[in-house]
Amino acid sequence: MSALLSLDRLSVTLHGGQRVVEDISLEVPEGEIVGVAGESGSGKSMTASALLGLLPDRSSTGGHAWWRGGGDEIDLLTLDQRAWNRVRGTQVAMVFQDATASLHPMLTVGTQVTEHMRVHLRMSRRQARDRAVELLDRVRIPDPEHALRSYPHQFSGGMRQRVAIAAALACQPRLLVADEPTTALDVTVQAGILRLLEELRAETGLSVLFITHDLAVLAALTTRAYVFREGRVVESGATEQLLFHPEHEYTRTLVAARPQADDWDEWEGPA
């Protein structure tokens, strides 16, 4: 079966001619969590932004990003703004690294979770509100009825990230692009977010492209991964293979540099 998403030699060039992504090819099968690992500046977030049509003004792209989640095969890189409005959020959604920045501080959680459903799914106010309560409950937000009336600053960092995930899932996308969503969270909260994503994958068939610089997170969540360096894929394969038997010198360096507390000698991979 064809992959839900296939990148074929994707490149991204910023205004001024700086090439930040070069010939990236990767696949995200349906119902799987695929990882992208690499240091800051390796092109991970630019790749994610290209998939959502969120690149800086006057950027240019090359190659293809084939999407097969809407019935027909389409190249995401060729969409105009009107076409993006039909795809972004409803078929492909994104969770950003900083939930504080991605959630509007002056709007209630209820407004931010329901607005996509009212626009894209044509739900009534009541229908959208009921669906929002279900979503907040699913992502383990205590007292979701009260949470709808609250503002982002009234939640902890981990709870804000859960709200952001609920908002991203509002229109039931097939693919969630998660751009380092656990970076600013402590280890306990981070583990809860990872469990949540795995539960959503198992329960709904959600596909996830998970971007991280943390190899321990990669080990805990993904079955297949791609290692980025300077805008290119230097190695890819089963996560277990990459972590235990890396072939590329850069991958070996990343594995060797991990904190010793993250030892995975008895790691069995995601459930």
Side-chain angles (χ1 to χ4, degrees):
M1 184 175 65
S2 298
L4 188 65
L5 172 73
S6 300
L7 301 189
D8 180 16
R9 300 178 65 85
L10 169 70
S11 65
V12 176
T13 304
L14 301 181
H15 176 62
Q18 180 185 8
R19 182 69 63 86
V20 292
V21 172
E22 181 76 39
D23 291 340
I24 294 292
S25 294
L26 62 79
E27 291 189 343
V28 181
E30 189 164 3
E32 290 192 21
I33 302 178
V34 174
V36 171
E39 62 190 309
S40 297
S42 61
K44 307 186 303 295
S45 292
M46 281 296 176
T47 298
S49 295
L51 294 179
L52 274 293
L54 299 175
L55 289 170
D57 290 342
R58 296 198 280 181
S59 301
S60 61
T61 59
H64 303 280
W66 298 112
W67 172 249
R68 304 178 182 91
D72 298 323
E73 182 178 72
I74 60 174
D75 186 352
L76 297 177
L77 303 184
T78 66
L79 301 185
D80 58 22
Q81 192 56 50
R82 178 174 293 183
W84 263 122
N85 289 340
R86 294 193 296 268
V87 172
R88 189 189 296 127
T90 58
Q91 297 186 46
V92 184
M94 188 166 181
V95 176
F96 296 90
Q97 178 175 337
D98 185 358
T100 302
S102 61
L103 295 172
H104 198 296
M106 302 300 291
L107 298 177
T108 65
V109 165
T111 297
Q112 297 184 69
V113 176
T114 61
E115 61 182 351
H116 312 300
M117 294 182 278
R118 299 194 65 198
V119 171
H120 293 296
L121 303 182
R122 300 287 192 263
M123 285 186 173
S124 68
R125 187 183 299 273
R126 180 66 188 185
Q127 288 173 324
R129 183 182 175 282
D130 290 345
R131 164 81 173 148
V133 169
E134 293 176 6
L135 285 167
L136 293 180
D137 182 62
R138 167 164 278 184
V139 300
R140 309 285 198 278
I141 297 292
D143 193 358
E145 294 271 4
H146 180 264
L148 289 178
R149 303 189 295 272
S150 304
Y151 291 85
H153 73 271
Q154 295 175 277
F155 294 87
S156 67
M159 289 296 106
R160 283 195 295 268
Q161 196 60 280
R162 289 172 182 266
V163 169
I165 292 172
L169 297 176
C171 295
Q172 298 179 302
R174 301 281 299 280
L175 173 67
L176 182 68
V177 180
D179 187 7
E180 304 203 43
T182 61
T183 296
L185 306 177
D186 66 44
V187 175
T188 301
V189 177
Q190 182 182 95
I193 296 295
L194 299 183
R195 282 196 300 271
L196 171 63
L197 291 174
E198 172 56 28
E199 288 170 3
L200 290 169
R201 182 207 63 78
E203 293 171 7
T204 70
L206 179 72
S207 300
V208 181
L209 183 63
F210 193 93
I211 297 169
T212 184
H213 66 271
D214 188 334
L215 296 187
V217 170
L218 202 72
L221 191 64
T222 70
T223 54
R224 182 173 180 82
Y226 295 79
V227 179
F228 280 30
R229 185 187 188 191
E230 297 179 349
R232 294 177 177 270
V233 173
V234 297
E235 190 169 357
S236 64
T239 303
E240 182 176 2
Q241 176 69 26
L242 290 181
L243 298 181
F244 283 102
H245 307 288
E247 296 181 357
H248 194 278
E249 180 182 359
Y250 177 69
T251 310
R252 291 197 295 269
T253 300
L254 288 180
V255 171
R258 76 190 190 278
Q260 292 306 305
D262 290 336
D263 195 356
W264 47 64
D265 286 344
E266 297 183 4
W267 171 72
E268 297 180 355

